[in-house]
Amino acid sequence: MNGKYIGGGIVLIALAFGAGVYYAQEYGYYQTVSATAPGAAITLAELGGTLDPLDVAGYQGIDADSSPLRYRACFRTDLSLPTATETFQVYDKPTPLIGPRWFDCFDAKRIGADLEAGRAVAFLSQHDIHPGVDRVVAIYPDGQAYVWHQLNSEAEK
């Protein structure tokens, strides 16, 4: 009989711990950021390396202090893809990272599939925005755009 209580207690503690970890990962560290927040300005790296500010509209962004990889944003731009590909650095291996479920404007799986299929193009926004982390912007032909941070090739070595 005592074993049932001990086993039940262990299961309840494990469930409570799991719920706490889920909450921390999905909600606890994230905060919404505006396009004018420090470090949130969207730039694109020109072919010569100069950072050029990008005009954005309808910006929705999130970030967290716990990791540089938690930044994500969705916005619109009037920059055309032909102009962007002639002027800015195309990003070689874009890998959008999955964000929290509640931030529903950013669908990393769809963005990744669209990048692979050529329905969107990824550009370098800023190299080493944090050590070993690049900011990447994906732009669609209709002006919809997404930005995230990902590990760069230097960090993978």
Side-chain angles (χ1 to χ4, degrees):
M1 192 68 146
N2 288 338
K4 289 181 183 179
Y5 293 120
I6 292 172
I10 291 171
V11 168
L12 288 176
I13 290 170
L15 286 172
F17 180 77
V21 169
Y22 172 79
Y23 178 83
Q25 292 299 316
E26 196 68 19
Y27 301 100
Y29 297 109
Y30 284 102
Q31 57 197 10
T32 58
V33 293
S34 71
T36 58
I42 307 297
T43 59
L44 290 179
E46 292 182 2
L47 294 173
T50 306
L51 297 180
D52 190 21
L54 186 62
D55 290 330
V56 302
Y59 179 93
Q60 297 177 49
I62 58 172
D63 200 2
D65 292 333
S66 62
S67 169
L69 297 177
R70 291 182 179 250
Y71 175 78
R72 289 160 186 80
C74 311
F75 60 93
R76 295 196 58 77
T77 183
D78 58 1
L79 179 67
S80 72
L81 273 182
T83 300
T85 54
E86 292 173 4
T87 311
F88 301 107
Q89 295 179 34
V90 174
Y91 200 77
D92 285 334
K93 297 179 183 175
T95 309
L97 303 177
I98 295 173
R101 289 186 191 107
W102 57 267
F103 190 62
D104 55 3
C105 78
F106 191 93
D107 183 349
K109 290 179 183 177
R110 183 182 59 80
I111 297 166
D114 288 347
L115 289 166
E116 286 182 19
R119 291 185 292 269
V121 180
F123 299 92
L124 175 64
S125 173
Q126 190 171 343
H127 176 67
D128 273 345
I129 193 152
H130 295 278
V133 176
D134 290 343
R135 180 174 283 179
V136 181
V137 175
I139 301 176
Y140 284 78
D142 68 354
Q144 186 63 43
Y146 303 91
V147 60
W148 66 92
H149 291 175
Q150 75 176 56
L151 294 176
N152 59 34
S153 59
E154 298 161 12
E156 296 170 0
K157 293 178 183 177

